[in-house]
Amino acid sequence: MARILSIDYGKKRTGLAVTDPLQLIAGGLATVSTSELFDYLKNYVSREDVELIVIGEPRQPNGQPSENLQRVQQFVSRWRKAMPQIPVEYYDERFTSVLAHQAMIAGGLRKKARQDKALVDEISATIILEDYMRSFKGNGNGEK
């Protein structure tokens, strides 16, 4: 099996998370400058076997597209043209930042650490990936 990588795409910074090769565990990978994201991912997939990229689909709580959706779609379009062998799927990312902050509090991080936006982005990417993986375990057959 190959890894699944998730992206919490932001205007300035982007959080990344990845599974282990058996796709059992999701963990934070990095937070990178969005301007460097494309090159970072190309380099990563040249070293690691990645079968799928899951990217957070930014929506407002009412389900309407957020202002960041257009930037995400442009990135996905560019990626699909350059690397068509690695598919990209959108996954609803509503409330992941809130959940990331809650996880940081539950983990005992001090207020100063919780203000680290790069860490929040990486944890958000991990939550997106965990939710994505859980959605397939729940269908009874484990298939995507």
Side-chain angles (χ1 to χ4, degrees), residues 65-85:
S66 80
E67 60 150 299
N68 199 36
L69 183 58
Q70 186 174 9
R71 285 187 286 271
V72 170
Q73 291 170 331
Q74 289 171 348
F75 174 82
V76 169
S77 177
R78 181 178 174 209
W79 181 263
R80 285 178 173 160
K81 287 177 185 160
M83 304 291 284
Q85 70 276 20

Side-chain angles (χ1 to χ4, degrees), residues 13-45:
R13 288 174 321 279
T14 297
L16 302 171
V18 69
T19 66
D20 64 294
L22 295 177
Q23 299 179 8
L24 299 174
I25 300 169
L29 176 61
T31 299
V32 299
S33 169
T34 299
S35 63
E36 299 170 5
L37 176 63
F38 194 85
D39 291 335
Y40 181 94
L41 288 177
K42 281 181 65 176
N43 184 35
Y44 185 83
V45 301

